[in-house]
Coordinates of all heavy atoms in Angstrom, one line a residue:
D215 N 79.4 39.5 -29.2 CA 80.6 39.9 -28.4 C 80.6 41.4 -28.2 O 81.3 41.9 -27.2 CB 81.9 39.5 -29.1 CG 82.0 40.1 -30.5 OD1 81.0 40.3 -31.2 OD2 83.2 40.4 -30.9
D216 N 80.0 42.2 -29.0 CA 80.0 43.7 -28.8 C 79.1 44.3 -29.8 O 78.4 43.7 -30.6 CB 81.5 44.2 -29.0 CG 82.1 43.9 -30.3 OD1 81.4 43.8 -31.3 OD2 83.3 43.6 -30.3
A217 N 79.1 45.7 -29.9 CA 78.2 46.4 -30.8 C 78.9 46.7 -32.1 O 78.3 47.5 -32.9 CB 77.7 47.7 -30.1
A218 N 80.1 46.3 -32.3 CA 80.8 46.6 -33.6 C 80.2 45.9 -34.8 O 80.4 46.4 -35.9 CB 82.3 46.3 -33.4
S219 N 79.6 44.8 -34.6 CA 79.0 44.0 -35.7 C 80.1 43.7 -36.8 O 79.9 43.9 -38.0 CB 77.8 44.7 -36.3 OG 76.8 44.8 -35.4
T220 N 81.3 43.3 -36.4 CA 82.4 43.1 -37.2 C 82.7 41.6 -37.3 O 82.8 40.9 -36.3 CB 83.7 43.8 -36.8 OG1 83.4 45.2 -36.6 CG2 84.8 43.6 -37.7
D221 N 82.8 41.0 -38.5 CA 83.1 39.6 -38.7 C 84.4 39.2 -37.9 O 85.3 40.0 -37.8 CB 83.2 39.2 -40.1 CG 82.0 39.4 -40.9 OD1 80.9 39.7 -40.3 OD2 82.0 39.3 -42.2
K222 N 84.4 38.0 -37.4 CA 85.6 37.5 -36.7 C 86.0 36.2 -37.3 O 85.3 35.3 -37.5 CB 85.2 37.3 -35.2 CG 84.6 38.5 -34.5 CD 85.5 39.7 -34.4 CE 85.0 40.8 -33.5 NZ 83.6 41.2 -33.8
I223 N 87.3 36.1 -37.6 CA 87.9 34.9 -38.3 C 88.5 34.0 -37.3 O 89.0 32.9 -37.6 CB 88.9 35.3 -39.4 CG1 90.0 36.2 -38.8 CG2 88.2 36.1 -40.5 CD1 91.1 36.5 -39.8
T224 N 88.5 34.3 -36.0 CA 88.9 33.4 -34.9 C 87.9 33.6 -33.8 O 87.2 34.6 -33.7 CB 90.3 33.8 -34.4 OG1 90.4 35.1 -34.0 CG2 91.4 33.5 -35.5
P225 N 87.8 32.6 -32.9 CA 86.8 32.7 -31.8 C 86.9 33.9 -30.9 O 88.0 34.3 -30.5 CB 87.0 31.4 -31.1 CG 87.5 30.5 -32.1 CD 88.4 31.3 -32.9
V226 N 85.8 34.5 -30.5 CA 85.7 35.5 -29.5 C 84.7 35.1 -28.4 O 83.9 34.2 -28.6 CB 85.3 36.9 -30.1 CG1 86.4 37.4 -31.1 CG2 84.0 36.8 -30.8
V227 N 84.8 35.7 -27.3 CA 83.9 35.4 -26.2 C 82.5 36.2 -26.3 O 82.5 37.4 -26.6 CB 84.5 35.8 -24.8 CG1 83.5 35.5 -23.7 CG2 85.8 35.0 -24.6
V228 N 81.4 35.5 -26.1 CA 80.1 36.1 -26.2 C 79.9 36.8 -24.9 O 80.1 36.3 -23.8 CB 79.0 35.0 -26.3 CG1 77.6 35.7 -26.3 CG2 79.1 34.3 -27.7
A229 N 79.6 38.1 -25.0 CA 79.5 39.0 -23.8 C 78.4 38.6 -22.8 O 77.2 38.4 -23.2 CB 79.3 40.4 -24.2
G230 N 78.7 38.5 -21.6 CA 77.7 38.2 -20.5 C 77.0 36.9 -20.6 O 76.0 36.7 -19.8
A231 N 77.5 35.9 -21.3 CA 76.9 34.6 -21.4 C 77.6 33.7 -20.4 O 78.7 33.3 -20.7 CB 76.9 34.1 -22.8
T232 N 76.9 33.4 -19.3 CA 77.5 32.5 -18.3 C 76.5 31.4 -17.9 O 75.3 31.6 -18.1 CB 78.0 33.2 -17.1 OG1 76.9 33.9 -16.5 CG2 79.1 34.3 -17.4
K233 N 76.9 30.4 -17.3 CA 76.0 29.3 -16.8 C 75.2 28.8 -18.0 O 74.0 28.4 -17.8 CB 75.2 29.7 -15.7 CG 76.0 30.2 -14.5 CD 75.1 30.6 -13.3 CE 75.9 31.0 -12.1 NZ 75.0 31.4 -10.9
I234 N 75.8 28.7 -19.2 CA 75.1 28.2 -20.4 C 75.2 26.6 -20.4 O 76.2 26.1 -20.1 CB 75.7 28.8 -21.6 CG1 75.7 30.3 -21.6 CG2 74.9 28.3 -22.9 CD1 74.3 30.9 -21.3
V235 N 74.1 26.0 -20.8 CA 74.0 24.5 -20.8 C 73.7 24.0 -22.2 O 73.9 22.8 -22.5 CB 73.1 23.9 -19.8 CG1 73.5 24.3 -18.4 CG2 71.6 24.5 -20.0
A236 N 73.2 24.9 -23.1 CA 72.8 24.4 -24.5 C 72.8 25.7 -25.4 O 72.6 26.8 -24.9 CB 71.5 23.7 -24.5
I237 N 73.1 25.4 -26.7 CA 73.1 26.5 -27.6 C 72.4 26.2 -28.9 O 72.3 25.0 -29.3 CB 74.6 27.0 -27.9 CG1 75.4 25.7 -28.4 CG2 75.2 27.7 -26.8 CD1 76.8 26.1 -28.7
A238 N 72.0 27.2 -29.7 CA 71.4 27.0 -31.0 C 71.8 28.2 -31.9 O 71.8 29.4 -31.4 CB 69.9 26.8 -31.0
A239 N 72.0 28.0 -33.2 CA 72.4 29.1 -34.1 C 71.4 29.1 -35.2 O 71.2 28.1 -35.9 CB 73.8 29.0 -34.6
G240 N 70.7 30.2 -35.4 CA 69.8 30.4 -36.5 C 70.4 31.0 -37.8 O 71.6 31.0 -37.9
G241 N 69.6 31.6 -38.6 CA 70.1 32.2 -39.8 C 71.1 33.3 -39.5 O 72.3 33.2 -39.8
Y242 N 70.6 34.3 -38.7 CA 71.5 35.4 -38.3 C 71.2 35.8 -36.9 O 71.4 36.9 -36.5 CB 71.2 36.6 -39.2 CG 71.5 36.4 -40.7 CD1 70.5 36.0 -41.5 CD2 72.8 36.4 -41.2 CE1 70.7 35.7 -42.9 CE2 73.1 36.2 -42.5 CZ 72.1 35.8 -43.4 OH 72.3 35.6 -44.7
H243 N 70.8 34.8 -36.1 CA 70.6 35.1 -34.6 C 71.1 33.8 -33.9 O 71.3 32.8 -34.4 CB 69.2 35.4 -34.3 CG 68.2 34.3 -34.4 ND1 67.8 33.7 -35.6 CD2 67.5 33.6 -33.4 CE1 66.9 32.7 -35.3 NE2 66.7 32.6 -34.0
S244 N 71.3 34.0 -32.6 CA 71.8 32.9 -31.7 C 70.9 32.8 -30.5 O 70.4 33.8 -30.0 CB 73.2 33.2 -31.4 OG 74.0 33.4 -32.5

């Protein structure tokens, strides 16, 4: 979402991610 690298306890918008059709989450990357 930004360069602050701050934990978020509620959902935030991923910056610049549009026209997405599938997602995957790894250990510490997405």
Side-chain angles (χ1 to χ4, degrees):
D215 61 324
D216 54 38
S219 297
T220 304
D221 295 354
K222 306 298 190 306
I223 58 176
T224 56
V226 294
V227 176
V228 176
T232 59
K233 298 182 179 180
I234 305 302
V235 295
I237 52 178
Y242 300 96
H243 72 291
S244 305

